[in-house]
Amino acid sequence: MTKQPVLVLGPLMPYLLAELEKRYAIEKLYEEKDALKFLQENAGRFRAAVTSTFTGITADMIDLLPQVEIISSFGVGTDSLDVAYANTKGIRVANTPDVLNEDTANMALLLLLASTRDLVKNDRFVREGRWAKGENAPLASGIEGKRVGLVGLGRIGSVIAQKLLAFGCDVAYHTRNKKPDAPYTYYENLVELARDSAALIAILPGGDATQGVISREVLKALGPDGTFVNVARGTVVDEVALVELLQSGELGRAGLDVFADEPKVPEALFKLDNVVLQPHMGSATEETRRAMADRVVTNLEGYFAEKP
Ligand code: NDP
């Protein structure tokens, strides 16, 4: 049987490429010297395209793929995918939710603990020989018994909440709609949640609708003893305000996995001891990335098998 042609828009992990290759005749747009020319000559052959949250897909690109019926994306975030435009053209867009909940939640907890306990700063303290010379590292900050505010309480936020309970935290949250089944304190007002919390964890989608939701006012309300953790998207926070407030001490600490203009990170953060930085690693374990890859494949297989 001839294999169905599938267009891969951007780089993918080798395991996923291999799984796709077993089933489909894949062609890699990102390896074409002249991608536009390639599309003009070949786009009509592809009923399916594979992308990722890192590569995304714009309305212009969708227009260049007139026969595509399904776009299968690696990742749960849809902020880099023009889903609304795809839907106007009757194109299905599939992502990889749920399988990354635990690892992304673990990253949130890691960043919360690492920043409040000065883990990276104290690692440097030991390596620089300061402990050996008799210096004492300053006391850090605990989280037990303290209120931690979640901005977003969906698939991943709910898992973070459960894990926070195991650390003895008092969980509260802010979303646009109160979750009737959630046993946590709801705040309609985000500034009030920040004011009442020792730490705020962002775990809501990116995109225009959430741009700068974590504003300067919210960060100021969190205050000099507060910690901000972002495992959502860099765009959800006013990054300029975040850097300034961390520099001035008006915000205590931060643990950041995501940034507004990745892979660029504001250089001012490199000099700060009160920040722990990660290169967007929330879902980046061998196990979870494979599970996400399997979802990309099953989403395509399901579509071609006419399953929901
Ligand atoms: P869900 O769609 O399950 O949950 C999103 C939550 O955000 C909902 O509770 C929603 O509630 C809330 N929300 C949406 N808009 C707003 C808003 N304007 N203000 C406050 N709350 C809002 O998503 P997931 O939990 O699966 O994933 C969340 C995001 O995490 C992804 O979109 C992705 O960007 C990011 N992510 C990051 C990873 C990383 O590597 N760092 C890995 C995986 C995901 P309501 O609609 O009631 O407002």
Side-chain angles (χ1 to χ4, degrees), residues 149-152 160 200-204 214 228-233 236:
L150 295 173
V151 189
I160 297 175
L200 209 60
I201 301 179
I203 185 62
L204 69 167
I214 319 274
F228 173 62
V229 170
N230 194 355
V231 285
R233 286 289 182 264
V236 304

Side-chain angles (χ1 to χ4, degrees), residues 22-136:
K22 281 183 201 164
R23 298 162 176 83
Y24 305 106
I26 66 167
E27 295 185 45
K28 299 171 186 164
L29 184 64
Y30 57 98
E31 286 187 350
E32 291 298 326
K33 275 202 198 86
D34 189 340
L36 195 59
K37 185 162 174 270
F38 174 86
L39 288 172
Q40 281 159 354
E41 290 168 5
N42 297 282
R45 293 193 286 114
F46 300 103
R47 286 175 61 203
V50 174
T51 187
S52 66
T53 50
F54 300 105
T55 301
I57 189 162
T58 60
D60 287 346
M61 177 60 86
I62 290 169
D63 279 339
L64 290 167
L65 298 167
Q67 300 304 320
V68 160
E69 298 162 24
I70 175 154
I71 298 160
S72 185
S73 180
F74 179 86
V76 66
T78 54
D79 47 310
S80 61
L81 315 170
D82 201 330
V83 180
Y85 188 69
N87 288 344
T88 64
K89 302 211 129 196
I91 300 170
R92 307 285 293 273
V93 182
N95 62 345
T96 64
D98 293 321
V99 291
L100 41 59
N101 292 353
E102 295 291 333
D103 268 327
T104 308
N106 287 348
M107 177 58 81
L109 266 296
L110 261 173
L111 286 173
L112 177 65
L113 288 167
S115 45
T116 54
R117 296 298 301 268
D118 298 330
L119 190 85
V120 176
K121 180 174 134 187
N122 286 342
D123 177 281
R124 275 198 295 271
F125 179 84
V126 175
R127 288 170 201 253
E128 286 165 5
R130 292 167 60 192
W131 190 29
K133 281 185 200 143
E135 254 188 84
N136 288 320

